[in-house]
Amino acid sequence: FSAAIGNFDSEIVDSFENRDGSRVAATFTITGTNNGAFGTKPDGSPIEMTGIVISAVRDDGMLLSNQVERNAFEAYTRLTAR
């Protein structure tokens, strides 16, 4: 995925966890340039996606499960509208 986005950068915008630390959520932004993301023609145009990740964490701090949602369809639509 990141190979198709040149100058790949990700930033955590906000994060929080529940009281006992067993669930963590974060919103993020991904930016970069189009190197063929989503099967599009690599044209160097800017890409920006936002998303959220929700993780379950074991008592020892290791990741138990992870769910990631991002606005990839919106990013794809912007890339193909040019």
Side-chain angles (χ1 to χ4, degrees), residues 21-59:
S22 64
R23 304 282 287 178
V24 178
T27 58
F28 61 88
T29 301
I30 293 172
T31 57
T33 55
N34 182 20
N35 283 352
F38 313 114
T40 61
K41 181 181 176 185
D43 62 4
S45 60
I47 294 176
E48 181 175 327
M49 287 188 289
T50 58
I52 186 168
V53 59
I54 301 170
S55 303
V57 182
R58 299 186 325 200
D59 289 338

Side-chain angles (χ1 to χ4, degrees), residues 60-80:
D60 63 1
M62 299 298 289
L63 187 64
L64 180 63
S65 65
N66 197 35
Q67 178 182 354
V68 178
E69 299 290 334
R70 60 183 184 267
N71 71 335
F73 181 73
E74 290 85 352
Y76 172 80
T77 301
R78 286 190 300 272
L79 288 173
T80 58

